[in-house]
Amino acid sequence: MENYKFPINRLKTKLEDSSKTPIVLILFGSLNPITYLHLRLFELARDHLKNSNSNWEVVGCYISPVSPGYYKPNLLPPKDRNNMCQLAADCTDYIMVDIWETLHKEYIRTLPALKHFSTELNKDGGILIEDGTRKNIIPVILAGGDLIETMTQPGVWAECDIIDILKDYGSVVVERSGTNLSEVVAKDKILSQFQDRIVVVKQTIPNDVSSTRVRNCIKNNLSIRYIVPDSVIDYIKENNLYKN
């Protein structure tokens, strides 16, 4: 942690609309490996918030790879996942990679990770607005539709964490084909209380890419071009990843 530095190089320095609430979108996950679909989530979310009547203005976007303490089969070491995420982020001019989670041996829950982001983003009082004062930046979870579905499953999330995450932060969730997330939220006892903190985004072009399918393609010597950024494909080949 001694050499850790929170990335702010692509963070906006001033809010465009001072009446809005500044947020950053954070994609948490194993990202094993990161794909174009992960990057696409940011595009869909930014378009939706910009073109809707949302009170949120996106001032930054982050990828946060999970710590090695999260047990998942075939999870690569942090170094490789961090490097691939950075290569993918560098295909854009607005996404940053925060490696803070991966610097911990133990698994970091989503709520403490959001608190970390809030602390780092608001060290200097937040983002500058038109009158010269500053507004606190709120970190918001960006995820696929399966995230909200897991929040409705008993024992997967602590209820107190769900409440604190939605009350203090919020989420932008991209809907999967065949799933009506608005209906899922409305029917759940806890989620229905925070419908205004859960922004549901429709898929404009359905995409069913997953990291698991990408790994299977690599293992079977099948092409993953146009599914994963070329720079990430080169890294996977150079380091002989996902072959076993």
Side-chain angles (χ1 to χ4, degrees):
M1 295 293 288
E2 290 180 7
N3 298 321
Y4 167 73
K5 187 174 181 181
F6 182 72
I8 58 170
N9 56 307
R10 292 174 175 171
L11 190 68
K12 287 185 182 178
T13 56
K14 188 175 181 180
L15 196 63
E16 291 178 12
D17 186 341
S18 297
S19 69
K20 293 197 172 186
T21 299
I23 69 162
V24 297
L25 296 170
I26 307 166
L27 180 65
F28 295 104
S30 55
L31 302 153
N32 187 40
I34 191 167
T35 71
Y36 273 127
L37 179 56
H38 292 120
L39 302 183
R40 180 70 181 153
L41 293 177
F42 288 101
E43 293 289 313
L44 290 166
R46 294 201 312 163
D47 278 352
H48 179 87
L49 293 173
K50 186 177 181 179
N51 296 322
S52 67
N53 294 322
S54 173
N55 187 46
W56 287 348
E57 181 181 318
V58 180
V59 299
C61 293
Y62 288 89
I63 294 168
S64 183
V66 75
S67 80
Y70 178 69
Y71 176 74
K72 196 170 186 178
N74 305 311
L75 185 67
L76 288 184
K79 177 187 174 183
D80 290 320
R81 289 183 291 116
N82 288 341
N83 286 341
M84 287 189 287
C85 284
Q86 189 59 60
L87 288 168
D90 286 345
C91 293
T92 78
D93 59 1
Y94 66 91
I95 298 175
M96 294 164 279
V97 179
D98 182 30
I99 66 170
W100 181 80
E101 280 191 77
T102 65
L103 297 177
H104 295 77
K105 290 182 180 179
E106 72 279 7
Y107 170 62
I108 303 296
R109 298 183 351 267
T110 304
L111 183 57
L114 285 168
K115 290 179 178 177
H116 151 74
F117 272 95
S118 183
T119 298
E120 293 290 346
L121 290 163
N122 297 299
K123 275 183 176 177
D124 298 320
I127 191 169
L128 192 67
I129 62 175
E130 193 173 358
D131 65 4
T133 60
R134 292 182 176 271
K135 268 190 178 182
N136 265 18
I137 300 171
I138 298 177
V140 170
I141 298 171
L142 171 65
D146 52 345
L147 174 85
I148 289 297
E149 292 182 270
T150 63
M151 286 184 173
T152 67
Q153 299 168 7
V156 178
W157 292 73
E159 286 192 6
C160 57
D161 276 13
I162 295 175
I163 292 169
D164 286 345
I165 286 170
L166 296 179
K167 175 172 61 71
D168 297 333
Y169 305 103
S171 65
V172 176
V173 188
V174 178
E175 197 168 64
R176 294 185 304 173
S177 299
T179 303
N180 187 330
L181 282 184
S182 297
E183 189 175 293
V184 171
V185 170
K187 288 183 176 179
D188 187 78
K189 179 183 68 175
I190 296 175
L191 299 184
S192 59
Q193 300 174 45
F194 300 99
Q195 291 188 60
D196 62 326
R197 308 291 293 174
I198 303 171
V199 176
V200 176
V201 180
K202 299 286 185 182
Q203 282 265 24
T204 51
I205 301 175
N207 193 331
D208 203 22
V209 171
S210 72
S211 294
T212 300
R213 290 177 178 177
V214 169
R215 292 197 302 273
N216 287 337
C217 284
I218 297 169
K219 192 173 182 180
N220 291 296
N221 295 313
L222 300 175
S223 172
I224 56 170
R225 197 173 184 191
Y226 308 122
I227 299 173
V228 173
D230 286 350
S231 54
V232 176
I233 293 175
D234 291 341
Y235 184 91
I236 290 170
K237 288 180 178 178
E238 288 167 8
N239 293 276
N240 199 34
L241 304 178
Y242 302 118
K243 285 296 184 179
N244 298 320

